Amino acid sequence: MFQPKKKRPRIRKTMSGLIALTLLSSLILPNVAGAEPVEAAQVQFANVSVQAGQSVHVPVALKKSYFGVKAYNMQIDYDTSALEIVRITPKSINANTISSNEEGVADFQYEINNAEGWVRIIWVDFSGGNNPIVDEQQMFDIEIKAKNNATPGTKQLSVDQTDSEHWHFTNVEHQSYTQLSGGTITITAANSGGGNSTPNPGSSSGGSLSPTSPVVTTVPSTPAVTKGVDIYVNGQKQEQSASATTSTVNNLVTTTVHVDNDKVINQIGSGLRTLLLPITGTGKDAVVGELNGKLVKTMEGSNAEVVIQTDSGTYTLPANQIQIDQVLNQFGSTVPLEDITIQIAIAPSAASKQSAIQAAADKMQNTSVVAAPVDFEVKAIWNGQQVNVDRFNSYVERSITLPEGVDGSKITTGVVLQPDGSLLHVPTKVIKGNVQDSAIINSLTNSTYALIYHPTTFSDVTSHWSRDDVQDQASRLIVQGTGENVFAPDRSITRAEFTAVLLRGLGLHSPISTEATSFTDVKTGSWYEDEVQTAVSYGLISGYADDSFRPNSEISRAEALTIVSRAMKLVGLAQADASETTSLLSTYSDSAKVQAWAAEPVASAIKQELVQGADGKLMSEADISRAQSAAIVKRLLAKAGLI
């Protein structure tokens, strides 16, 4: 139901002037025989649900228009006992926004009055009709909050369409007859889940999602400023296919790039390979790329990737790693994909994280933090709820751009901060640039990443064949010494120790499922308990037929290479097939000693040049040494392009 009209306070001259312009435009624009369209243009407010105390976004879109909209004004009324407007964000690409309490005139203006329960929005195309709002284009977004004491039920966003000061549209040809639909706000009790399906914790065999949680919305301390930006599809510039909105929240400047999803889909059909969102000039500020589930699904079918490129770093994310079907199951399988917003963010880490990383580095010998930590995040948002996409099925690449003057050779690895305050390795390689170097980090999870310099040497490998491999891996925090400046390269290594070294090299620091291991000899509280559980969850180890793992037993070369061959699948390295296995093993004089269960794993390691043998022998039954373990892990990571 419409609320009765109220007396309105006098609005600023700039805003009232725009109202006059929208009304005047219907008189000065040419008509087509003075006729109205056969069918009315359609404006749609989304119908949404929101928990009491939470915020939700209400997209307002032009769904049908014969000639495109050149100007409009509308006044939306709402029930102040239950709702309040947080902000209005323009979505049409050419809009330049300004709130009514600022100086100057912009083509998009709004005024919010939460005391009386109305918001007025006005837009005029100052280009003379060259940039109208066309079919299937979002006009603006209303962020609305349900008050903490709001009673569960439905509320309606309403407009008095009989009053031209409250509802008026003009298109390129004539005054437009425009109808309105939607705008129902369903309020649910706090913590009721809003009718969402039971959260799905994700698969234990691959990437997973966090359970749904309410979106935490913070009001910007400065008004949002929006401008059109260019994006690239398959390397080709696509003009007017995205807009960028910049605002400041808690002293953090954030630029959000809103992709025109339907336009991109229509432009590329089913041939999309890369969607690049290049945002420069933002320095160390936060950047968020925003697209909807429908576009992500289209990209997934084309094996395409989205690339967010900023001054501080780049995030290259294959669309299939967003796992849009799992996201949909979290929110409810009937939710339209186009209503799900996917946000991909690169942002400077909070000061508390920076301090924690510096404190961890200070506790380590000969360690310095080279570049400030950066957060990489992916989340899905719908109906006031969000799901964090923080685990992937394959390695996902992101880069951190080094400050000018910082030498990339002074970086030994990228690290992540653990809950216990320690720093752990993630696969990292440095790329030299003309002006600035960059560090490429590959990981199966999202996190906060920093770059450190941790050069390490050992006195007992100075003349050893493994010197470069061992010291490289130690500088990356993958292997450790056995004492003061000592590595003991020829000493054998246990099954638990080898598993831990391989996991550190791969950057796997926690299991992907909470299912406990069933090994009878892995003791609770042992130093290797978490490592064994992590390795089991990723399918790297399986143990023996008697349900033991034998963590303290030395590991043979054949056993080590069997674990490594499973890791090869994880990093995308091809393994030897049956015909290759026979051929590859036959070149070694002791190939007959390779047991059947180890034949393909050993052959796969030979194929990828991870092992070479000695004196024409594989020595598969011999214990593997600490030096050999370091060398094999390094070769694995290098062959996969991770370091």
Side-chain angles (χ1 to χ4, degrees):
M1 295 180 61
F2 297 130
Q3 295 184 5
K5 283 195 292 185
K6 311 176 182 69
K7 290 185 179 180
R8 307 300 186 199
R10 184 178 299 274
I11 300 176
R12 286 182 51 85
K13 183 177 180 180
T14 55
M15 197 167 190
S16 58
L18 278 179
I19 297 175
L21 276 174
T22 60
L23 297 172
L24 181 61
S25 61
S26 64
L27 301 176
I28 62 176
L29 290 172
N31 292 332
V32 180
E36 292 184 345
V38 176
E39 296 183 32
Q42 301 289 330
V43 173
Q44 183 181 78
F45 290 4
N47 297 320
V48 298
S49 298
V50 61
Q51 290 183 5
Q54 301 296 328
S55 296
V56 67
H57 291 268
V58 181
V60 178
L62 181 68
K63 305 301 289 186
K64 181 189 295 184
S65 176
Y66 282 81
F67 301 103
V69 172
K70 176 183 172 61
Y72 66 81
N73 68 273
M74 68 177 75
Q75 181 171 296
I76 304 169
D77 296 308
Y78 52 94
D79 186 345
T80 58
S81 68
L83 303 172
E84 63 182 35
I85 302 293
V86 177
R87 63 170 163 258
I88 306 295
T89 303
K91 295 293 185 177
S92 52
I93 290 174
N94 57 312
N96 176 28
T97 182
I98 190 169
S99 61
S100 62
N101 61 357
E102 294 183 79
E103 296 298 330
V105 178
D107 55 6
F108 185 98
Q109 292 194 39
Y110 65 91
E111 182 172 4
I112 299 171
N113 190 321
N114 278 318
E116 296 188 11
W118 56 266
V119 56
R120 176 166 285 177
I121 302 109
I122 301 169
W123 175 78
V124 176
D125 176 12
F126 283 138
S127 70
N130 294 325
N131 296 300
I133 301 174
V134 295
D135 281 2
E136 300 298 327
Q137 184 171 340
Q138 187 175 347
M139 300 158 60
F140 57 90
D141 176 274
I142 308 172
E143 186 173 339
I144 193 164
K145 180 180 179 180
K147 294 185 175 181
N148 292 330
N149 60 353
T151 302
T154 60
K155 298 295 180 181
Q156 186 69 36
L157 301 180
S158 59
V159 177
D160 183 356
Q161 299 178 66
T162 65
D163 187 335
S164 61
E165 288 193 8
H166 289 195
W167 182 258
H168 185 88
F169 280 72
T170 302
N171 66 25
V172 177
E173 300 297 336
H174 49 255
Q175 181 174 338
S176 176
Y177 173 48
T178 307
Q179 293 181 339
L180 174 66
S181 62
T184 300
I185 312 294
T186 301
I187 302 173
T188 60
N191 299 321
S192 69
N196 291 336
S197 59
T198 302
N200 176 4
S203 168
S204 63
S205 60
S208 62
L209 310 175
S210 68
T212 56
S213 60
V215 175
V216 178
T217 302
T218 308
V219 179
S221 57
T222 62
V225 177
T226 301
K227 64 179 181 179
V229 295
D230 296 331
I231 62 177
Y232 292 79
V233 173
N234 296 340
Q236 300 296 314
K237 181 188 288 188
Q238 305 294 321
E239 298 180 349
Q240 300 296 302
S241 291
S243 62
T245 301
T246 301
S247 60
T248 303
V249 177
N250 296 330
N251 296 319
L252 177 63
V253 179
T254 301
T255 297
T256 302
V257 181
H258 311 276
V259 174
D260 188 327
N261 299 276
D262 290 336
K263 182 177 288 188
V264 173
I265 292 173
N266 292 335
Q267 287 170 337
I268 53 87
S270 60
L272 177 60
R273 298 182 303 278
T274 302
L275 174 62
L276 171 63
L277 311 182
I279 305 300
T280 58
T282 58
K284 295 182 179 180
D285 297 339
V287 173
V288 180
E290 190 172 278
L291 50 160
N292 69 20
K294 181 180 178 182
L295 176 55
V296 169
K297 188 66 177 178
T298 301
M299 295 175 65
E300 182 182 282
S302 301
N303 290 322
E305 61 187 17
V306 57
V307 181
I308 311 296
Q309 189 177 76
T310 75
D311 294 333
S312 59
T314 300
Y315 198 173
T316 303
L317 180 64
N320 59 16
Q321 294 303 312
I322 298 175
Q323 308 159 70
I324 191 64
D325 290 337
Q326 287 193 37
V327 169
L328 186 62
N329 288 335
Q330 291 274 55
F331 291 135
S333 59
T334 61
V335 174
L337 284 173
E338 55 266 34
D339 291 348
I340 298 175
T341 298
I342 303 296
Q343 293 185 341
I344 305 168
I346 303 174
S349 299
S352 58
K353 288 184 180 179
Q354 296 185 38
S355 298
I357 288 173
Q358 185 60 59
D362 291 342
K363 294 178 182 178
M364 302 166 61
Q365 292 184 349
N366 199 28
T367 303
S368 58
V369 179
V370 179
V374 179
D375 295 341
F376 292 83
E377 297 179 341
V378 180
K379 59 186 176 183
I381 299 173
W382 172 78
N383 193 28
Q385 296 291 306
Q386 76 177 38
V387 171
N388 294 325
V389 182
D390 47 21
R391 285 188 181 272
F392 308 115
N393 294 315
S394 61
Y395 281 87
V396 171
E397 180 182 297
R398 69 277 288 159
S399 71
I400 297 176
T401 303
L402 303 183
E404 287 192 35
V406 174
D407 184 359
S409 65
K410 298 301 183 182
I411 292 174
T412 56
T413 190
V415 293
V416 292
L417 179 67
Q418 293 297 98
D420 65 359
S422 62
L423 299 178
L424 296 179
H425 162 269
V426 284
T428 306
K429 60 183 177 182
V430 175
I431 303 298
K432 300 294 291 184
N434 293 330
V435 178
Q436 293 172 274
D437 297 343
S438 59
I440 309 297
I441 296 173
N442 278 275
S443 176
L444 291 171
T445 61
N446 271 332
S447 189
T448 296
Y449 301 95
L451 303 173
I452 66 168
Y453 185 50
H454 178 69
T456 305
T457 60
F458 298 105
S459 59
D460 58 347
V461 299
T462 303
S463 302
H464 199 271
W465 65 266
S466 67
R467 181 191 63 187
D468 292 344
D469 295 333
V470 167
Q471 293 184 165
D472 173 85
Q473 297 290 276
S475 297
R476 294 178 181 273
L477 309 180
I478 296 173
V479 299
Q480 302 168 347
T482 59
E484 186 67 28
N485 202 31
V486 174
F487 183 71
D490 297 317
R491 200 191 78 183
S492 59
I493 189 170
T494 68
R495 289 170 55 80
E497 290 171 336
F498 182 83
T499 299
V501 168
L502 181 60
L503 290 176
R504 290 188 210 120
L506 295 169
L508 306 180
H509 305 304
S510 62
I512 56 177
S513 69
T514 57
E515 183 179 352
T517 57
S518 57
F519 296 131
T520 57
D521 55 353
V522 175
K523 298 179 180 179
T524 301
S526 60
W527 72 263
Y528 48 78
E529 180 188 14
D530 290 342
E531 281 78 0
V532 170
Q533 184 168 341
T534 299
V536 169
S537 72
Y538 279 98
L540 300 179
I541 59 175
S542 56
Y544 292 91
D546 62 357
D547 291 332
S548 67
F549 177 64
R550 305 176 193 175
N552 297 315
S553 298
E554 281 75 17
I555 187 169
S556 71
R557 287 166 59 86
E559 290 174 326
L561 293 179
T562 298
I563 298 174
V564 168
S565 72
R566 294 167 183 160
M568 287 169 59
K569 297 178 183 179
L570 197 61
V571 300
L573 290 180
Q575 295 180 297
D577 59 28
S579 61
E580 289 177 305
T581 296
T582 301
S583 174
L584 289 166
L585 293 179
S586 66
T587 59
Y588 294 90
S589 61
D590 61 345
S591 60
K593 294 183 179 180
V594 178
Q595 298 185 49
W597 57 266
E600 287 191 12
V602 172
S604 296
I606 297 170
K607 177 178 179 175
Q608 295 295 344
E609 300 177 337
L610 305 185
V611 293
Q612 301 166 340
D615 299 325
K617 296 182 179 181
L618 284 169
M619 299 172 290
S620 61
E621 296 178 329
D623 292 341
I624 195 170
S625 70
R626 287 168 52 83
Q628 291 168 341
S629 300
I632 288 174
V633 171
K634 180 185 177 183
R635 292 169 193 163
L636 172 70
L637 298 177
K639 195 72 175 182
L642 299 179
I643 62 173

